[in-house]
Amino acid sequence: GENVEQHPSTLSVQEGDSAVIKCTYSDSASNYFPWYKQELGKGPQLIIDIRSNVGEKKDQRIAVTLNKTAKHFSLHITETQPEDSAVYFCAASMGNAGNMLTFGGGTRLMVKP
Amino acid sequence: EAEVAQSPRYKITEKSQAVAFWCDPISGHATLYWYRQILGQGPELLVQFQDESVVDDSQLPKDRFSAERLKGVDSTLKIQPAELGDSAMYLCASSWGTGGNTEAFFGQGTRLTVV
């Protein structure tokens, strides 16, 4: 089955700096890659996703890149703010398996004011 | 804004007792998932429903866990008997359907503590 590795496990940045979180996946059949933000005591919230026919997608301060050849994808957050502090999860899924998501281990992002 | 509803938010139970969690997906979502999230880890799929049918329950510990979605709308996940290792966040998610590439929306989860 699919295996998703996520790095780093913790990331501390100064407010205004950029943050980058990287994930690798094992199954080349995966074609959908969402990112979730999870705040303490809450469920994961979808923040951005990318499909295999696209190399990059941007939404305001958040961008995601996908390299299918290398089987890795990354989340980029620019101009970080204290409210960006949370745990971020990457995930991967294969279309023919419904939408079963395999998650990475998570990255705890801390933005220091 | 439509949300996935889960109850209770928190549950403390003694080991060997039975416990149940309830989920009401976003209206119109045919696919429903139950995930378990151990503290400090990513969510792991327990069971997936398409309408009232189980699509995947390969990771569900069937000796103690059961899940149902009788009318293809809301769902119940049950643990009997609960064990100390079952302490975790139980998350429900829903999406429009299978075929892939459709967003999954999560509820707030039920935090289970087994003592």
Side-chain angles (χ1 to χ4, degrees):
Chain A
E2 176 67 280
N3 183 50
V4 178
E5 299 284 341
Q6 183 172 346
H7 300 281
S9 57
T10 61
L11 179 60
S12 181
V13 300
Q14 205 67 36
E15 181 178 0
D17 288 350
S18 295
V20 180
I21 302 171
K22 299 182 179 181
C23 289
T24 60
Y25 61 99
S26 61
D27 196 324
S28 57
S30 289
N31 57 15
Y32 175 61
F33 308 92
W35 286 88
Y36 286 84
K37 175 183 180 181
Q38 188 174 28
E39 297 176 335
L40 192 63
K42 297 185 177 181
Q45 179 185 10
L46 179 69
I47 57 172
I48 195 168
D49 57 17
I50 191 166
R51 289 163 172 78
S52 59
N53 59 344
V54 176
E56 183 174 356
K57 184 177 179 180
K58 189 174 181 180
D59 183 4
Q60 299 183 357
R61 298 186 296 107
I62 295 174
V64 59
T65 59
L66 171 65
N67 183 327
K68 284 199 68 180
T69 302
K71 290 189 284 188
H72 68 69
F73 55 113
S74 301
L75 178 71
H76 304 252
I77 306 174
T78 58
E79 302 172 19
T80 54
Q81 302 167 3
E83 51 266 38
D84 294 329
S85 296
V87 179
Y88 291 81
F89 291 96
C90 63
S93 81
M94 293 178 282
N96 60 0
N99 201 31
M100 189 194 80
L101 295 169
T102 300
F103 284 84
T107 297
R108 179 172 299 280
L109 174 64
M110 294 170 283
V111 181
K112 295 180 285 186
Chain B
E1 183 176 293
E3 293 183 343
V4 175
Q6 288 189 249
S7 66
R9 288 291 310 276
Y10 305 93
K11 180 70 177 179
I12 300 174
T13 191
E14 294 183 347
K15 62 180 181 180
S16 79
Q17 296 298 305
V19 63
F21 316 127
W22 177 80
C23 172
D24 190 12
I26 293 173
S27 179
H29 280 194
T31 304
L32 184 147
Y33 316 83
W34 283 102
Y35 284 84
R36 177 170 59 184
Q37 184 178 26
I38 295 170
L39 192 63
Q41 299 181 19
E44 295 180 325
L45 182 73
L46 290 173
V47 61
Q48 176 183 345
F49 289 92
Q50 173 70 18
D51 298 312
E52 67 277 6
S53 300
V54 174
V55 173
D56 184 349
D57 64 355
S58 58
Q59 300 304 311
L60 189 71
K62 298 182 187 65
D63 57 335
R64 298 185 300 108
F65 286 64
S66 64
E68 60 183 18
R69 193 184 183 198
L70 293 177
K71 297 182 179 179
V73 181
D74 60 335
S75 176
T76 301
L77 177 69
K78 297 179 182 178
I79 308 175
Q80 182 174 16
E83 297 181 353
L84 295 177
D86 296 331
S87 295
M89 174 82 90
Y90 290 82
L91 295 162
C92 179
S94 69
S95 66
W96 280 108
T98 55
N101 295 334
T102 59
E103 296 88 348
F105 297 89
F106 283 81
Q108 296 279 48
T110 295
R111 167 80 57 196
L112 173 67
T113 302
V114 182
V115 297

